[in-house]
Amino acid sequence: MNAMTETGQKGFAAQIVSAIAWRSGSQMIAQLIMWAATFFVIRILDPKDYGLFAMTQSVLVFLSLLNGQEFTGALVRAPELTKTLIRQVFGVLLLMNGGIAVAQVLLAPLAAEYFHTPIVAQLLVVQAALYLATPFVSLPSSLLSRELNYKVQAKVNLGSALAGAATSLGCALAGFGVWTLVAAPMAAIWTRAIGMTIAARVLVLPSFRLKGSGAIFAFGGAMLLSSLLWLIQTQSDVIIGGRSLDAHNLGLYAEALFLAQIVTSKFVPPLNDVAFSAYARMQADRETTGRAFEKSVRLIMFGALPFYAGLALVAWPFVDVVLGPKWDEAAPIVRLLAVAMPFLTMQVLFAPATTALGHPRLQVWSAGAGAAIMPLSFLIGVEWGPVGMAWSWVIGAPLHLAITMALGVRVIGTSARGIGRAVLPAVLATGGMVVVVMAAEPMAAHMASLPALALLVTLGMASYGAMVLLVARPIIGEFVGLIKARRGVAI
C-alpha cells in the first residue's frame, strides 16, 4: 500500500468520523431540546390526545412513503452528478409531494370514519402542509450528504428543533390540546426547509422531463417498495390497534413505543445516513465494508444494549418520574418493548449497507419479511390489549433480524459469526449490569419513584462501566481511535 493511499484512507476516516460527530452530535442536542419540551408537554396533555395523534400518524406515515425521499439516494450514489439530474429529482419531489398533499385532504374524511373519530379529518387536512416542505429539505440534504458535509445540516437541524420545541411548549400552555402535536412538527419542518435551502445554496428550477433518468427510477423504485413494506411493518400496530383499542389504551401503547424506540428511531438514523454515504464511497472493497459494518455494530450495540436493558429494569419508576402518575399503566408495556428493541436496532443497520453496495433488492426482501411477520403478530397480540401488542414485538423482532442477517451478511462482506463477535462485548458487560441492578430491585421497591430511579440508574451505570473495564476494554480503545480520527489521525 503506497503512502498516497494511506493518506487517502486517513483523510477518508477523518471525514467519516467528522460527519458522524456533526450528524449524531447535532441529533443528540436537538433530541435533548425536543425531549425537554416533549416530556413537559406529556405531563400537560392527556393520553387521549396522543391516541388521536397516533390515528393521524398511521395515515400520514403511509402517504409520506410517496414523498420521493428514496429518489434522492440516487444523487448520493451517482458516479457523476449533473445539474440536469438535480433538476429532475427536484421535479419528481415537487410532483410527488404535491400529489400526496391533495390525496391526504381527500382521504381525511374516510380516515375519520374508519377510526370513528371526526376530529381526525380536521387534523389530517392541516397536516397536509407538511408535505409541501419536503422537497426543500430532501434535495439540499442529499447533496450535502454526498459530500459527507453534515456541519451545515447540523446547524439547521438545531434551529428547527428549537422552533419545534418552542411551538410545542407555547401551544400546550395555551391549552391547544391535540393541536399542540400538529403545530410543533409543522414549525420544525418549515424552519428546516427554509434554513436548509439557504444554507446549502441550492435552489434550482425543477425539470419535469425525465428522459435519461432510468437509473434514478430503478434505484428509487426498489427503495420505494422496501419503504412501503417497512411501513406496513411499522404502522400496522396503530392501524390494527386503533380499530380495536380505545384512544386511552392506544395512547399508552404509542407513548410506550416512543420511549422504547428512542435509540432506534432517534440516534441510529443519523448514523445510517452517514453510513450510506460512506458505504457508497467504498462499495468496491467488500473486505473493508465488512470490517466497517462489524465495527459499527459493535460500537452502536455498546450503547444501545445497556440502554434498553436498563430501561426494562427501571420501567416503573422511569415512567412515573418522567411521564407522571397518569401514565403508570404504560410501564409494563415499556418493559416488554425494551426487551425487543435491541433486535430492531441491529436489523435496521443492514439497510444502508446493502443498498449503498448496490443490492436494494435485499432490503426489499427483508422489508417484505417484516411486513408479513409483524402485522400477523399484532393481529394476534391485540386480543390482549396494549400489553399483547408489546409481546408481538418481543416475538416478531428477533425473527425479522434472523431473516435480515441471512439475506445480507454475505453481500456486506461479513458473517453471522463475525457479527456475533462484534456484539459479544456489549452482551457480557450488559449481563453483569443486569445482575447488579436486579439484586438492588428489592431495596428500591420500598422507595419513592425518584430515589428508586436514581439508585438503580447509578448502580447500572457504575456496574456497566466496571464490566466494560473487565471484559470489553478494547472497546475503549476503539472510541479513543475515533476521537483521534476526528483530528485527522488514522484509526
Side-chain angles (χ1 to χ4, degrees):
M1 184 180 294
N2 58 48
M4 189 122 176
T5 302
E6 291 179 359
T7 301
Q9 283 195 336
K10 291 177 182 180
F12 185 49
Q15 192 178 13
I16 292 175
V17 175
S18 177
I20 292 173
W22 277 107
R23 185 67 177 93
S24 299
S26 65
Q27 178 78 5
M28 185 176 297
I29 296 172
Q31 285 304 318
L32 289 175
I33 294 170
M34 293 299 296
W35 286 339
T38 296
F39 290 131
F40 182 83
V41 169
I42 285 175
R43 302 180 77 92
I44 297 175
L45 301 184
D46 294 322
K48 180 180 178 180
D49 293 323
Y50 287 90
L52 292 172
F53 184 67
M55 293 176 188
T56 68
Q57 291 307 287
S58 63
V59 177
L60 199 73
V61 174
F62 179 79
L63 289 177
S64 293
L65 171 69
L66 303 175
N67 65 10
Q69 184 81 28
E70 294 79 11
F71 293 95
T72 63
L75 296 178
V76 179
R77 291 194 74 251
E80 182 181 351
L81 196 61
T82 65
K83 187 173 181 179
T84 298
L85 183 61
I86 295 172
R87 292 180 60 199
Q88 287 176 330
V89 171
F90 189 37
V92 170
L93 290 172
L94 290 175
L95 286 174
M96 297 186 75
N97 283 277
I100 58 178
V102 173
Q104 181 159 302
V105 172
L106 296 176
L107 290 172
L110 298 177
E113 183 177 351
Y114 174 82
F115 289 114
H116 310 299
T117 309
I119 194 175
V120 167
Q122 302 170 39
L123 296 170
L124 285 171
V125 168
V126 174
Q127 290 177 98
L130 291 168
Y131 304 118
L132 304 181
T134 300
F136 303 96
V137 173
S138 297
L139 183 66
S141 294
S142 63
L143 294 176
L144 290 168
S145 296
R146 177 184 172 87
E147 303 301 324
L148 291 173
N149 181 358
Y150 289 90
K151 184 176 181 179
V152 170
Q153 297 184 65
K155 294 178 179 179
V156 175
N157 289 340
L158 288 176
S160 66
L162 286 170
T167 302
S168 179
L169 288 172
C171 291
L173 292 171
F176 283 16
V178 67
W179 289 101
T180 300
L181 305 176
V182 174
M186 192 77 70
I189 193 171
W190 276 103
T191 300
R192 189 179 177 205
I194 295 170
M196 195 71 73
T197 301
I198 294 173
R201 300 177 182 178
V202 52
L203 185 60
V204 298
L205 291 174
S207 173
F208 302 106
R209 297 182 60 187
L210 303 180
K211 183 179 180 180
S213 58
I216 297 177
F217 283 95
F219 180 84
M223 296 308 299
L224 182 62
L225 178 56
S226 67
S227 295
L228 173 61
L229 295 170
W230 173 257
L231 183 66
I232 293 172
Q233 173 191 336
T234 56
Q235 293 301 305
S236 57
D237 53 354
V238 174
I239 293 173
I240 293 169
R243 194 163 176 85
S244 301
L245 305 176
D246 59 28
H248 175 82
N249 280 312
L250 183 62
L252 292 174
Y253 170 80
E255 287 312 293
L257 188 62
F258 161 74
L259 289 176
Q261 288 189 334
I262 282 176
V263 172
T264 305
S265 64
K266 303 300 181 183
F267 293 115
V268 173
L271 297 175
N272 276 349
D273 287 347
V274 178
F276 179 80
S277 301
Y279 289 134
R281 292 269 292 270
M282 55 184 177
Q283 57 186 291
D285 187 349
R286 287 296 185 272
E287 183 179 351
T288 300
T289 58
R291 290 198 305 268
F293 184 79
E294 291 172 8
K295 185 171 185 176
S296 68
V297 168
R298 181 164 54 251
L299 296 179
I300 288 172
M301 296 309 291
F302 176 74
L305 199 56
F307 171 83
Y308 283 129
L311 182 60
L313 291 168
V314 304
W316 273 274
F318 181 82
V319 169
D320 191 63
V321 170
V322 176
L323 303 186
K326 65 184 177 182
W327 290 91
D328 283 351
E329 294 174 87
I333 308 171
V334 171
R335 168 166 281 188
L336 287 169
L337 290 170
V339 172
M341 287 305 114
F343 299 98
L344 180 64
T345 301
M346 280 195 61
Q347 190 272 323
V348 299
L349 296 178
F350 281 83
T354 55
T355 54
L357 296 175
H359 297 274
R361 70 182 186 281
L362 296 182
Q363 178 57 18
V364 173
W365 284 109
S366 172
I373 294 167
M374 296 311 300
L376 179 60
S377 299
F378 294 133
L379 283 170
I380 297 171
V382 75
E383 297 297 325
W384 287 270
V387 172
M389 300 279 283
W391 270 109
S392 300
W393 281 101
V394 175
I395 296 169
L399 180 57
H400 188 202
L401 171 61
I403 294 172
T404 300
M405 285 182 60
L407 290 169
V409 288
R410 184 173 298 179
V411 166
I412 296 171
T414 182
S415 64
R417 180 176 296 180
I419 293 173
R421 287 195 302 266
V423 176
L424 184 60
V427 171
L428 294 175
T430 301
M433 179 196 77
V434 169
V435 171
V436 172
V437 175
M438 288 184 70
E441 279 186 332
M443 178 171 48
H446 301 290
M447 298 179 177
S449 295
L450 183 57
L453 180 63
L455 172 66
L456 295 177
V457 169
T458 301
L459 285 174
M461 293 176 65
S463 59
Y464 185 69
M467 287 298 298
V468 168
L469 290 174
L470 183 64
V471 302
R473 187 171 295 184
I475 284 185
I476 299 175
E478 291 197 60
F479 276 106
V480 172
L482 287 176
I483 295 173
K484 289 181 178 180
R486 176 70 178 87
R487 297 172 181 170
V489 180
I491 53 180

